[in-house]
Every structure is written in structure tokens, then in C-alpha cells.
């Protein structure tokens, strides 16, 4: 898209170009979803497929899944120490019945990130379809037979391939290889070495591409087109991924109920999710909106260098617009969020669902990583730490205050959920490195701010 065609508010455009952290509010969400939008039934079907896969997954990954009996789910962890610390630090108004939680998808078994939800769902759906069409399985039945020798032999004639900077490749590659598929992960050369090693150890063919993520994705897509027995997992277009993420909402609503956290007009739910191409946060938002409607307020977190969903939504067009189009370089240390172009499957769905997007620079992201570790002893990978800034953005910025005023939102009984999207598989050496980087960022930021913290 040429520069003159971009319809962004000039003030917003200037802020984005200068990489000034911004909260953008989706002022005028359309009331209606596009006609082809997935139904709540489709989300339940995905949830049901994941349920039917528990025995299968348990048999494939007994070490990781014995405790959960094959279930791929995560805890909702109260983070009251972090909540108090942040409120103090930013002189933020607090309420007695307000509560902050971390949705601990960084601990999702086997894959260690939110990608376990979407990625596993897609691989399971593909394997199920192949097995059904080869009379190995009845539609709707338990998926345990997919671990049989017969099924393995069948799957070995098929390939699953994915283009990924990291976590999606880990998720898809691990499960597809375990089921016996010939599995290829197309990565960019700068993807983390430990992720490549881990996949290679599991028998996955890792192909490295110089250039960025988009190039890796295109390469995979092209390879797959040549062969009908190759399934390409398309991070930018996949409904199966999207529905796997959306299914998370059903379990989360049970968790909230168990904790006695109501969600209604007087008990609003705020959710903050890091966004790369948009599939994971989009799916989660879609599922939550289907359940909680106007009482849930979802915000995405993006790096100041890569606000791809923000520009796509703010431009209000169905034509693709990238962060390069507005002169940004898409360079950030948040592995997985360095995405120049948002998914065009997801952005039209978010146009009517998402409350807003906030941007975070790398220094603030590392500062938040440090804060989470110091207060709660929880390590998140850098990308996952971007979400932490959400509650402050909403409470302390003019835009956030305007949003809550317009919607007559009472904070007194609000539940805030920060989505911890990844971290538990990061090797110890890397964790040390990130924590040191985080400690220094925190110290430097304190000097710059002279004790007065802004958003
Ligand atoms: C993939 C990922 C995201 C964002 O998901 P998208 O589907 O790319 O938007 C956020 N955090 C982590 C750790 C991830 O791996």
C-alpha cells in the first residue's frame, strides 16, 4: 500500500512512527461480525476434539501429561504481589475487590507456549481426517487409535509443514513428528538455536531461511502446493489454529467460576494478550467475546516496532497494510511478535470484537519481565511479558480512562487477566541471559524516569 493511501489519524501515525508507546482504542467497533465468522458451535467442536485427544496425547507424551491425564490446559494464577507492586509504582487507583491473574499458558505441557492450543488442534484435525478417510476411525470417536502402528504407517506417507519463527514450529513439529508424519519446519536463520535443536532431536526436518518470517512462511506454502499429501499450517490464514485458541475460553470460564470471579456488567473482565500475527490472541478474544459479550474487554499488546494489528485495524481497510508501510523496521527482541503484517483472517473478526491495542517498547517489556520475576518468581519469555503493561495502560492513560468512562465501567470488582503466552521451555542459560537483560533494563528505566513512572 502506498503511503498516500494510508488512512490513519495523523496524530496516531506520528506516535507510531516515533515508536511512542500508545494505547489505541477501537472506537467504533462494528456491531456485526462478517457473514463467514465462525459460530460458537465451531468453537465447541474444537474443544470436543481436544477432549477426545486426551488419551492419545497421554500415550504419546506420558512424561509431560501424566499429571494432567492428557489435558492441555493451564492454571489461572493469582498475582496479587505483582498487582500491589505495580499499583504502588504507577500510583494507580486500587480497589479492594479487584483481582489480577496470570493465565499460565507459558506452562502448557509439551509445547511450553500458547501455541500448544492452536497447533495441536490443527495437527489433530488433520490426522483425524486422514484416519477417517482411510477407515481407521469413526467420526466423533476417541482419538486414541491414532497412536496405533497402522495409523503411524499411514501418517508416514503424509507431510505436515509449517513456517515459523519458533513457538508455532515447536508445537506443530513436536506433535506431528510424534504421530509419525514426515514433518518440516521452515524457520528463519535468526530463530533461536535451542528451538531448532529440540525439533531436530525429535526427528523434525528444520529448514533455515535467511530473510524474515514472511519469507519463511511463503517458502513453506510454495513447497506444500506442489504435493497433495503435504499439509501446510498457515499461521496467517488457518481457521483450525484459530479455533484451537478460541476453545481456551470455555475452560477459562470454568476457572473463573471456581474462583468465584463473576463476569457481568458490574464485574467486568479485562484480558491482555501479546499479539504477533494475531491468531492466538484473536482466537482467545473471539472465544471470550462469544461467552461474555460486552462484559469482557480484550486488549492486544504489540511491540512499538511491530504494531501490525494496530495499523491494520486503525486503518479500517480490508487491504493489507504493514508496519513497513508506515516506515517502521519491525525490529524487536520479542521473538514471535516481530510480525510486519497482521493475519487477514483475524483482523476483520477483531474489527468488531477487540477493545484496543497498546504498544510496548523493548525496554519496558524487559522491565516487566524483571518485575514479574521479582514479585511472583515467574519467568515469562520476553514476548509474553508485553501483556503485563495492560492494566496500567487502561487505568493511567487518558485514552484508557476515556474508554472506561464512555462504557461506564466500574473497576471496583474487575478481574484482570494477563495472558502468559510462553516461557517454560526456555533453557536455563537463556533464562539467565534474559533475566540479566531484564535487571539492567529495570535499572536504566528507573534512572530515566527519576522515580516517576509513566505508562
Ligand atoms: C505466538 C506467540 C504470541 C502471539 O501469537 P500470534 O498468533 O502470533 O499473534 C505471543 N506470545 C508468544 C510467546 C508466542 O509464541
Amino acid at each position: 500500500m502506498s503511503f498516500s493511501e494510508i488512512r490513519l489519524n495523523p496524530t496516531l501515525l506520528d506516535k507510531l512512527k516515533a515508536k511512542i508507546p500508545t494505547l489505541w482504542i477501537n472506537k467504533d467497533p462494528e456491531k456485526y461480525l462478517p457473514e463467514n465468522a465462525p459460530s460458537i458451535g465451531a468453537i465447541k467442536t474444537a474443544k470436543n476434539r481436544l477432549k477426545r485427544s486426551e488419551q492419545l496425547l497421554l500415550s504419546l507424551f506420558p512424561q509431560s501429561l501424566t499429571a494432567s491425564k492428557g489435558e492441555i490446559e493451564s492454571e489461572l494464577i493469582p498475582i496479587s504481589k505483582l498487582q500491589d507492586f505495580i499499583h504502588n509504582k504507577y500510583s494507580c487507583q486500587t480497589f479492594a475487590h479487584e483481582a489480577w491473574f496470570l493465565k499460565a499458558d507459558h506452562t502448557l505441557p509439551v509445547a511450553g507456549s500458547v501455541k500448544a492450543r492452536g497447533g495441536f488442534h490443527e495437527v489433530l484435525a488433520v490426522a483425524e481426517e486422514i484416519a477417517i478417510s482411510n477407515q481407521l476411525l469413526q467420526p466423533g470417536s476417541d482419538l486414541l487409535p491414532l497412536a496405533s502402528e497402522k495409523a503411524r504407517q499411514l501418517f508416514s506417507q503424509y507431510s505436515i509443514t509449517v513456517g515459523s519463527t519458533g513457538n508455532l514450529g515447536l508445537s506443530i513439529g513436536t506433535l506431528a513428528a510424534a504421530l509419525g508424519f514426515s514433518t518440516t519446519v521452515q524457520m528463519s536463520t535468526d530463530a533461536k538455536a535451542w528451538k531448532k535443536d529440540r525439533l531436530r532431536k525429535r526427528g523434525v526436518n528444520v529448514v533455515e531461511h535467511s530473510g524474515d518470517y514472511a519469507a519463511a512462511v511463503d517458502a513453506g506454502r510454495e513447497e506444500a502446493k506442489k504435493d497433495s499429501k503435504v499439509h501446510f499450517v498457515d499461521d496467517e490464514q488457518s481457521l483450525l489454529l484459530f479455533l484451537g485458541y478460541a476453545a481456551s475460553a470455555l475452560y477459562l470460564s470454568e476457572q473463573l467460576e471456581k474462583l468465584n470471579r463473576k463476569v457481568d456488567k458490574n464485574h467486568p473482565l479485562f484480558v491482555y494478550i501479546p499479539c504477533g500475527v494475531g491468531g492466538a490472541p484473536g482466537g482467545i478474544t473471539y472465544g471470550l467475546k462469544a461467552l461474555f459479550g460486552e462484559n469482557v474487554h480484550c486488549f492486544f499488546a504489540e511491540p512499538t516496532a511491530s504494531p501490525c494489528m494496530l495499523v491494520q485495524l486503525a486503518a479500517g481497510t480490508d487491504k493489507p497494510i504493514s508496519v513497513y508501510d508506515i516506515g517502521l523496521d519491525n525490529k524487536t527482541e520479542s521473538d514471535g511478535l516481530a510480525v510486519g503484517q497482521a493475519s487477514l483472517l483475524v483482523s476483520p473478526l477483531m474489527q468488531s470484537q477487540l477493545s484496543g491495542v497498546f504498544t510496548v517498547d523493548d525496554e519496558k517489556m524487559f522491565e516487566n519481565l524483571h518485575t514479574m520475576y521479582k514479585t511472583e518468581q515467574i519467568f515469562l519469555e520476553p514476548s509474553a511479558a508485553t501483556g503485563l503493561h495492560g492494566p496500567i495502560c487502561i487505568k493511567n492513560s487518558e485514552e484508557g480512562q476515556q474508554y472506561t468512562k464512555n462504557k461506564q465501567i466500574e473497576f471496583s470488582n474487575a478481574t484482570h487477566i494477563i495472558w502468559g503466552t510462553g516461557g517454560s521451555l526456555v533453557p536455563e542459560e537463556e533464562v539467565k541471559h534474559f533475566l540479566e537483560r531484564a535487571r539492567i533494563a529495570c535499572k536504566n528505566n528507573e534512572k530515566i524516569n527519576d522515580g516517576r513512572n509513566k505508562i
Side-chain angles (χ1 to χ4, degrees):
M1 181 169 279
S2 80
F3 209 78
S4 59
E5 285 178 89
I6 297 171
R7 291 185 307 143
L8 280 182
N9 167 315
T11 319
L12 175 66
L13 185 59
D14 286 346
K15 272 177 99 177
L16 293 176
K17 287 171 66 137
K19 296 191 185 171
I20 297 168
T22 303
L23 168 62
W24 171 79
I25 295 293
N26 192 6
K27 281 221 175 54
D28 196 19
E30 293 159 25
K31 291 221 167 51
Y32 302 103
L33 285 165
E35 259 177 37
N36 59 352
S39 66
I40 180 95
I43 301 171
K44 287 186 175 157
T45 302
K47 176 79 188 159
N48 175 271
R49 178 173 288 120
L50 290 166
K51 187 88 207 144
R52 285 185 292 119
S53 74
E54 288 175 6
Q55 293 313 306
L56 168 68
L57 293 173
L58 180 58
S59 84
L60 294 174
F61 307 105
Q63 279 184 332
S64 312
L65 290 176
T66 301
S68 75
K69 302 195 184 79
E71 188 173 51
I72 304 288
E73 256 307 338
S74 73
E75 277 182 80
L76 193 57
I77 304 175
I79 42 173
S80 56
K81 283 189 230 132
L82 177 95
Q83 179 181 342
D84 291 346
F85 182 90
I86 297 259
H87 275 120
N88 260 329
K89 182 165 175 172
Y90 293 91
S91 315
C92 204
Q93 198 180 357
T94 87
F95 303 91
H97 299 292
E98 170 186 353
W100 292 21
F101 295 90
L102 179 71
K103 179 60 179 165
D105 275 7
H106 63 293
T107 65
L108 279 181
V110 186
S113 80
V114 68
K115 303 295 192 307
R117 299 183 180 281
F120 285 10
H121 179 254
E122 176 145 356
V123 173
L124 291 165
V126 169
E128 183 181 12
E129 194 192 313
I130 295 171
I132 290 171
S133 60
N134 286 274
Q135 285 83 45
L136 279 187
L137 198 74
Q138 293 296 320
S141 61
D142 192 278
L143 297 182
L144 182 59
L146 301 189
S148 67
E149 198 42 47
K150 244 182 165 172
R152 283 188 74 77
Q153 275 187 5
L154 176 64
F155 296 149
S156 71
Q157 301 161 32
Y158 291 80
S159 300
I160 290 186
T161 167
V162 60
S164 165
T165 50
N167 284 342
L168 184 66
L170 269 188
S171 158
I172 299 281
T174 304
L175 181 55
L179 285 167
F181 285 97
S182 154
T183 307
T184 300
V185 178
Q186 315 269 357
M187 281 187 163
S188 52
T189 34
D190 59 353
K192 294 265 184 283
W194 68 267
K195 292 182 180 172
K196 297 177 201 167
D197 292 345
R198 198 181 162 93
L199 284 169
R200 288 189 170 122
K201 278 195 192 121
R202 292 181 179 263
V204 173
N205 175 28
V206 178
V207 180
E208 298 183 50
H209 298 267
S210 47
D212 66 7
Y213 173 78
V217 171
D218 288 343
R221 194 181 280 120
E222 287 313 307
E223 282 288 305
K225 272 188 198 154
K226 295 181 204 151
D227 189 341
S228 64
K229 285 198 166 177
V230 177
H231 178 84
F232 176 68
V233 177
D234 195 335
D235 200 12
E236 290 174 37
Q237 300 283 345
S238 168
L239 190 59
L240 287 171
L241 282 179
F242 187 81
L243 292 170
Y245 295 122
S248 63
L250 297 162
Y251 189 82
L252 182 72
S253 90
E254 288 170 24
Q255 284 180 313
L256 286 167
E257 213 167 291
K258 275 191 197 133
L259 290 164
N260 275 326
R261 298 301 306 182
K262 270 193 251 169
V263 182
D264 58 28
K265 176 83 190 124
N266 296 318
H267 301 77
L269 173 62
F270 286 82
V271 185
Y272 311 99
I273 325 167
C275 176
V277 72
I284 292 165
T285 296
Y286 196 78
L288 289 171
K289 290 304 267 188
L291 292 186
F292 299 120
E294 61 184 16
N295 299 319
V296 62
H297 309 271
C298 298
F299 292 87
F300 289 177
E302 296 194 307
T304 47
S306 314
C308 64
M309 189 61 80
L310 197 167
V311 294
Q312 187 68 50
L313 294 179
T317 166
D318 50 10
K319 286 196 196 136
I321 161 168
S322 84
V323 302
Y324 301 109
D325 291 335
I326 65 162
L328 288 171
D329 60 7
N330 195 22
K331 285 203 163 56
T332 161
E333 289 176 77
S334 51
D335 186 29
L337 304 191
V339 177
Q341 171 66 62
S343 159
L344 293 176
L345 169 81
V346 176
S347 58
L349 297 172
M350 291 303 101
Q351 201 88 57
S352 61
Q353 308 257 285
L354 194 67
S355 296
V357 182
F358 56 95
T359 59
V360 181
D361 63 35
D362 281 9
E363 294 311 305
K364 183 59 78 181
M365 167 180 82
F366 277 111
E367 182 187 325
N368 286 338
L369 196 159
H370 177 83
T371 305
M372 178 60 95
Y373 189 73
K374 277 285 157 201
T375 54
E376 303 283 349
Q377 287 77 51
I378 293 172
F379 171 79
L380 296 173
E381 63 180 271
S383 312
T386 53
L388 229 79
H389 215 55
I392 294 308
C393 283
I394 306 306
K395 287 183 160 192
N396 275 16
S397 73
E398 230 172 82
E399 292 85 353
Q401 287 165 358
Q402 197 63 47
Y403 175 83
T404 45
K405 199 172 143 207
N406 287 349
K407 301 226 168 232
Q408 298 173 313
I409 293 168
E410 288 290 337
F411 272 124
S412 25
N413 296 304
T415 300
H416 297 264
I417 296 179
I418 292 159
W419 215 280
T421 45
S424 67
L425 288 189
V426 179
E428 209 173 311
E429 273 307 302
E430 298 251 344
V431 171
K432 266 195 216 153
H433 159 80
F434 282 139
L435 286 175
E436 181 54 17
R437 169 82 177 77
R439 193 183 62 78
I440 292 167
C442 195
K443 228 168 144 187
N444 288 345
N445 285 354
E446 258 157 36
K447 263 190 233 149
I448 295 165
N449 288 338
D450 193 18
R452 294 182 300 270
N453 277 290
K454 304 207 184 78
I455 69 158

